[in-house]
Amino acid sequence: MQASELFNQPNTILLDGGMGTMLQAAGMKLGTRPEDLNLENPELIRSIHAKYAAAGSRVVNANTFGASPHKLADSKYTLEEVITAGIANCKQAVAPYGALVTLDVGPLGELLEPSGTLAFEDAVAEYGRIVRAGVAAGADILYFETFTDLYEMKAALLAAKENSTLPIMASMSFEANGRTFTGCTVESFAATARGLGANAVGINCSLGPKEIFPMAKRLAEAVPGDFPVFVKPNAGLPRADGSGYDITPQLYAMQMKPYRELHLFAAGGCCGTTPEFIQMLNGVFADCKPGRPEHPMLSVICSPVDCVNVDGITVVGERINPTGKPRLKRALRSRDIGLLQQEAVQQAERGADVLDVNVGLPDIDEEALLPEAVQAVQAVCDLPVQIDTASPAAMEAALRRCNGIPLLNSVSGKRESLEKVLPLAKKYGGVVVGLLLDEGGIPETAEGRVEI
């Protein structure tokens, strides 16, 4: 199988299982960095990859999950050395089986602003370095997994698209309440990852097959029927005594059977799973076809924790706009972000579905201030935002820093407007407000407006 054929397979394919589980079973000492073993014990790493490929895994993760600048800060090996060795080991091990190799990428290990101290563009740069190393080493696929912060997933996906043309699989880890550790919903993840260019979305880790299934069903319903969805659950839940996970390969396979109705593109395992678990899945998914019946796809605007389906009246709060507001004008000129945040909270309390953010003033550097304003609003309010500007440069700056899928106000039928705004919507996943006018003005007839 070639990477270009990955998402067009006639049957559900199998992914691999846990790497850490296998390393611990092989006697890996406490405190050992798994990624260092790519160079220090490549035979062990290759043997694990080969066992998964032999069990039926058609996509195998290189041992690079923790290969980030932060996590390798005290390693004697460079990030590029670790990734190059990890990809080479995996490719050598799975070559006889025709399996594809992913650059397996986990979270950086630092919280992004405003929750932490890592700046968004610094995160994009770190992921860019990881992606470039994986591409240079010959990875077939980029796989971002076990993310809990949607903003960090956005940084990773932007880095992937800006540094590579490889297929992208994106996966987040959800808790029993249906949200990630940072509160991200399944639907917000689906809309954002798909909008940013991921080729497949999935759920991995945290929970077992039984617990993940309702969330996987929501994920499948949140994307078009032909959009690839995958899962990699844990081997049940951890035992209280810390001795491992609570279900056997046989029980795992039984609990995976309901996933057949989701018509997944792929399935595998995460923590606690071994090649025996993957072997059992061959029977579960033997004749399962990927792809689900088409269903209506609404326009979705979202923040990490709140999705708005535009299927009726959507209330946009427009108080964050300096037109006719002397106090707000003064606040913007003095960079008093507190007033913007106060307006955001008040509008949310009064029933707004979306918050418009407009900082346009003749003497304002809108390209610098608009993204700052969007971030400030999102720091205190869970509602999605509408980015309101006539400047394509300011729109892109705000789109890049916005967490989730925003509304873009606006695009018209004028050729110049279409050529400047629509590529931004495509790259960053924005939803456009369409103004039904063009170079000839506003048509008098409904037919003329529909044509635009």
Side-chain angles (χ1 to χ4, degrees):
M1 178 172 60
Q2 301 297 314
S4 59
E5 304 168 347
L6 177 63
F7 305 112
N8 298 308
Q9 295 301 298
N11 294 299
T12 298
I13 64 171
L14 299 187
L15 308 174
D16 63 1
M19 171 58 76
T21 301
M22 296 292 287
L23 291 175
Q24 289 167 2
M28 182 178 70
K29 295 178 181 177
L30 192 65
T32 300
R33 182 184 289 107
E35 292 75 21
D36 287 351
L37 298 176
N38 290 331
L39 295 124
E40 295 173 356
N41 194 346
E43 296 83 7
L44 172 61
I45 300 300
R46 288 195 292 265
S47 72
I48 294 171
H49 292 321
K51 287 175 183 175
Y52 278 121
S57 300
R58 297 281 65 86
V59 173
V60 179
N61 294 341
N63 181 35
T64 54
F65 176 79
S68 68
H70 177 75
K71 291 179 178 177
L72 294 177
D74 60 346
S75 174
K76 57 186 173 183
Y77 308 110
T78 67
L79 179 144
E80 286 75 15
E81 287 173 336
V82 168
I83 289 178
T84 298
I87 298 292
N89 288 333
C90 196
K91 289 177 77 74
Q92 181 181 334
V94 306
Y97 305 93
L100 298 174
V101 173
T102 81
L103 171 69
D104 187 23
V105 185
L108 295 174
E110 299 179 75
L111 287 175
L112 272 67
E113 295 174 342
S115 301
T117 58
L118 181 63
F120 179 77
E121 290 299 342
D122 289 342
V124 174
E126 288 196 26
Y127 279 117
R129 182 182 170 193
I130 293 168
V131 167
R132 289 191 298 274
V135 171
D140 299 308
I141 304 159
L142 303 178
Y143 177 34
F144 300 104
E145 66 160 322
T146 325
F147 280 58
T148 60
D149 182 357
L150 188 65
Y151 207 30
E152 185 169 9
M153 177 62 81
K154 176 171 183 171
L157 290 173
L158 280 178
K161 299 298 287 187
E162 292 173 354
N163 291 278
S164 165
T165 58
L166 294 180
I168 302 168
M169 296 168 58
S171 180
M172 294 192 79
S173 181
F174 293 86
E175 299 186 348
N177 63 1
R179 294 177 179 268
T180 70
F181 175 72
T182 61
C184 179
T185 69
V186 171
E187 290 75 16
S188 291
F189 162 55
T192 304
R194 178 169 164 252
L196 287 167
N199 301 102
V201 291
I203 297 174
N204 80 289
C205 206
S206 287
L207 302 166
K210 185 168 59 175
E211 295 79 16
I212 284 178
F213 180 79
M215 290 173 262
K217 189 172 186 297
R218 286 168 53 194
L219 183 62
E221 292 169 350
V223 294
D226 61 352
F227 194 82
V229 174
F230 64 95
V231 296
K232 295 189 75 176
N234 286 348
L237 302 175
R239 297 191 192 101
D241 62 4
S243 62
Y245 289 79
D246 68 355
I247 60 176
T248 63
Q250 291 76 16
L251 185 55
Y252 187 82
M254 187 175 76
Q255 292 187 1
M256 289 293 286
K257 284 183 180 179
Y259 286 87
R260 288 176 53 86
E261 70 182 67
L262 302 184
H263 296 280
L264 302 172
F265 132 73
C270 203
C271 301
T273 64
T274 66
E276 189 178 358
F277 284 74
I278 303 305
Q279 179 68 48
M280 295 295 295
L281 294 184
N282 282 283
V284 175
F285 294 103
D287 58 348
C288 189
K289 309 293 183 187
R292 302 162 301 283
E294 286 299 333
H295 55 274
M297 290 300 300
L298 302 172
S299 293
V300 175
I301 317 155
C302 70
S303 69
V305 301
D306 186 18
C307 259
V308 174
N309 290 320
V310 184
D311 58 354
I313 298 297
T314 300
V315 178
V316 180
E318 296 209 348
R319 293 288 304 165
I320 305 174
N321 185 322
T323 304
K325 302 184 185 73
R327 186 178 171 214
L328 185 55
K329 289 180 181 179
R330 291 194 297 272
L332 291 174
R333 290 190 175 107
S334 63
R335 286 294 213 276
D336 177 10
I337 296 299
L339 182 58
L340 274 71
Q341 293 179 319
Q342 180 182 322
E343 289 282 7
V345 171
Q346 288 179 350
Q347 290 180 100
E349 291 174 345
R350 293 173 186 178
D353 298 312
V354 181
L355 296 180
D356 183 85
V357 182
N358 183 321
V359 299
L361 286 171
D363 52 347
I364 285 283
D365 182 355
E366 198 176 354
E367 186 177 349
L369 184 57
L370 187 57
E372 183 181 338
V374 167
Q375 280 194 298
V377 167
Q378 291 199 306
V380 297
C381 186
D382 292 338
L383 296 183
V385 298
Q386 173 172 270
I387 295 170
D388 189 355
T389 177
S391 164
M395 183 178 286
E396 177 163 24
L399 261 171
R400 192 171 179 88
R401 299 275 282 280
C402 177
N403 196 353
I405 296 290
L407 265 175
L408 300 181
N409 191 14
S410 55
V411 65
S412 74
K414 294 179 180 180
R415 180 57 49 190
E416 182 183 12
S417 177
L418 293 169
E419 291 176 350
K420 289 183 177 179
V421 175
L422 295 188
L424 298 180
K426 179 175 176 59
K427 179 174 181 178
Y428 297 100
V431 176
V432 296
V433 174
L435 304 183
L436 302 184
L437 58 90
D438 59 13
E439 286 81 1
I442 303 174
E444 294 184 359
T445 66
E447 290 78 12
R449 299 183 189 191
V450 169
E451 186 177 346
I452 290 176

